[in-house]
Amino acid sequence: MNDCCRKMIVQDRIALKKGHGNLPYFELRFNGAEAHVYLHGAHVLHYQPAGQAPVLWQSKSSHFEPGKPIRGGIPVCWPWFGPHPEDPSQPLHGVARLVEWEPVQSAATGKSTSITLKLPDSAYPDASLQLTVELSDHLGVTLTTTNKRDTELKVTKALHSYFSIQNIHDVTVTGLEGQRYINKLLPDKSLQTQTGPISFAGETEHVYTNTPHDCSVIDKARKRRIHIRKKNSLSTVVWNPWVEKAARMPDFGNEEFREMVCVETANICSDCIVLPPGQKHAMHLQIQAQPI
Ligand code: TA6
């Protein structure tokens, strides 16, 4: 364990442990709640409020190795979302989730337990990136980009959250009613309008743009509502791979689509962030689960 990691540890509140694939992670505790933050990709893989089932889903088939993304939790998609805008040889969803980040600071107070990590400068010299995870009666995640160039920097990004649900057939996503979205599965990429709550009966990939709205996952079978609040994010992606796409993904169990739904907090497509030289942009996500 290097000195940087050792300095983050706080007895009973922040521990450094070895997890899947023997990868190191920080275990955060606060009033019976727990979160796990892997140094690989600054990946929040686990969040469990006191007395509840885990809120984030993780695949039993996930890779846990350098250069590959972890399947589940909250992948950091940065500095591009989806395919690289110009170079098809670049990895899907950017470089941030593929490398080990460095711990910067931690805190354990009467209000929360938190840790901040930063992307190594070598991973993307044009910008610096930090992720802060704060555990209290909810989970807060803040992704902060700083433009290090002397020209403007265009960035698309997402906190690509995988939520654990009991049964995809008995789940809805509310809060996006009336919002405009692109249905990525249709050849026609024109904007549709969301009518009513989102339910799931097949592969679903909706990109809601120009929407600052919070939303919720209503898990009827588990009798739980997961509130997803955000700041400085104008895009939300709702995704479930369903049968065929799940079967094509080696790090995703064939039947696991039934127990997860992605609601991603993002700035993508027309909501791309254009940062002047030296400027910062902080995108904030807050996850809170409550019985219904
Ligand atoms: O957010 C939806 C999406 O862009 C899907 O198209 C699918 O590719 C998903 O992300 C997962 O991407 P990944 O690279 O993690 O397999």
Side-chain angles (χ1 to χ4, degrees), residues 178-196:
Q179 294 307 301
R180 307 299 297 277
Y181 70 93
I182 301 162
N183 183 339
K184 295 292 289 287
L185 304 178
L186 295 181
D188 166 15
K189 298 300 180 212
S190 60
L191 283 172
Q192 323 273 322
T193 299
Q194 181 60 42
T195 51

Side-chain angles (χ1 to χ4, degrees), residues 69-71 75 77 81-83 92-93 97 160 162 184 203-205 207 237-239 245 249 251 262 264:
I70 294 171
R71 177 70 66 187
C77 302
F81 181 87
L92 198 65
H93 290 328
R97 63 179 185 165
H160 191 302
Y162 287 75
K184 295 292 289 287
E203 183 179 355
T204 304
E205 187 169 352
V207 176
V237 183
V238 177
W239 178 61
K245 184 152 188 176
M249 296 189 286
D251 60 344
C262 279
E264 303 155 37

Side-chain angles (χ1 to χ4, degrees), residues 20 84 90 108 119 129 150 172 244 273 277:
H20 302 285
H84 186 281
Q90 292 293 319
L119 180 73
L129 186 67
D150 55 10
T172 53
E244 285 78 23
I273 298 295

